[in-house]
Amino acid sequence: EVQVVESGGGLVQPGGSLRLSCAPSGFIVSNYWMHWVRQAPGKGLVWVARMNKDGSRTDHADSVRGRFTISRDNAKNTLYLQMNSLRAEDAALYYCVRDFVGAEEVWGQGTLVTVSS
Amino acid sequence: QSVLTQPPSASGTPGQRVTISCSGSSSNIGNDNVYWYQQLPGTAPKLLIYNNNRRPSGVPDRFSGSKSGTSASLDISELQSEDEADYYCAAWDGSLRGYVFGAGTMVTVL
């Protein structure tokens, strides 16, 4: 079965760092555009970042640019989201998404990030 | 507030038609495709419409999308109880260099 599984969420203090991981099964991440999308509790969806197939291009939302970095380890077939200088407003469920807005889209169940002192 | 504007709620009785609007600008909807998502309570979003009016495999043809200028709409014909969910529109914004979403529309089946 094709799926993605996120991990790495947890409680972090404001200003702290966290690295989220996205491990796929049934496909290779480098064959798809991969994205991160987040959703604060009770709120709407917010696109966070994307990486293209060959890893040569990344885009990040204004709200996280300069603080978050999407990356990939082809040997481990894993996508990452490095999150630095975390703020209270970054608290959310973070989804890893294959082929976001495409016909082969697959969402994970998300990993929860809580930012609090 | 969200870059794309949706009504916060919509409702209908079973069998009725419900239409959800999504308004944007020339930097997003006016120059790129529109996408629609359905999110049932406690679950991950599901793509309903891509490239303005195309349905992924498995999405019932009761769901249809359209776009005109800087606005788009999602039609749910023959509303069913299982359609009760939050619906989001999305588009690429060339000025922001990122995807943007509407705030979501909660559809209630009366």
Side-chain angles (χ1 to χ4, degrees):
Chain A
E1 180 188 0
V2 172
Q3 62 178 352
V4 294
V5 178
E6 305 92 338
S7 61
L11 174 63
V12 62
Q13 292 186 339
S17 297
L18 213 53
R19 188 178 78 161
L20 307 183
S21 299
C22 170
S25 60
F27 70 95
I28 298 172
V29 289
S30 58
N31 287 344
Y32 295 88
W33 284 75
M34 297 295 297
H35 300 246
W36 289 96
V37 176
R38 71 185 184 185
Q39 186 171 33
K43 302 296 185 182
L45 301 169
V46 176
W47 176 84
V48 175
R50 71 174 179 179
M51 174 176 279
N52 69 348
K53 292 180 183 180
D54 66 11
S56 64
R57 175 179 174 175
T58 62
D59 293 293
H60 297 77
D62 271 351
S63 58
V64 306
R65 197 169 293 139
R67 300 187 299 122
F68 291 12
T69 303
I70 188 172
S71 65
R72 190 176 73 199
D73 185 328
N74 288 339
K76 295 183 177 179
N77 195 32
T78 299
L79 182 77
Y80 300 102
L81 183 68
Q82 178 65 44
M83 305 187 297
N84 299 330
S85 303
L86 281 160
R87 305 166 180 168
E89 56 264 35
D90 296 319
L93 187 63
Y94 283 75
Y95 292 103
C96 172
V97 188
R98 182 189 87 169
D99 195 30
F100 175 65
V101 303
E104 295 183 78
E105 189 181 80
V106 174
W107 290 64
Q109 288 306 301
T111 185
L112 185 64
V113 172
T114 303
V115 183
S116 175
S117 54
Chain B
Q1 70 232 36
S2 301
V3 174
L4 304 181
T5 301
Q6 297 179 235
S9 63
S11 62
T13 57
Q16 275 191 330
R17 179 189 192 96
V18 169
T19 299
I20 301 169
S21 62
C22 177
S23 177
S25 69
S26 59
S27 65
N28 41 67
I29 294 178
N31 264 297
D32 214 312
N33 292 315
V34 177
Y35 309 89
W36 289 93
Y37 285 86
Q38 176 193 61
Q39 187 174 30
L40 299 170
T43 70
K46 171 188 172 184
L47 185 64
L48 280 183
I49 298 290
Y50 68 101
N51 292 1
N52 305 318
N53 54 21
R54 301 191 66 181
R55 282 185 304 276
S57 174
V59 173
D61 59 8
R62 302 185 292 104
F63 294 94
S64 63
S66 63
K67 185 186 107 168
S68 178
T70 59
S71 294
S73 62
L74 173 72
D75 280 347
I76 311 173
S77 64
E78 300 174 9
L79 193 66
Q80 299 181 6
S81 58
E82 58 262 37
D83 298 334
E84 194 158 276
D86 292 323
Y87 292 82
Y88 296 90
C89 59
W92 175 262
D93 191 296
S95 295
L96 296 174
R97 293 187 295 129
Y99 284 95
V100 292
F101 284 95
T105 298
M106 181 184 299
V107 169
T108 302
V109 181
L110 303 171

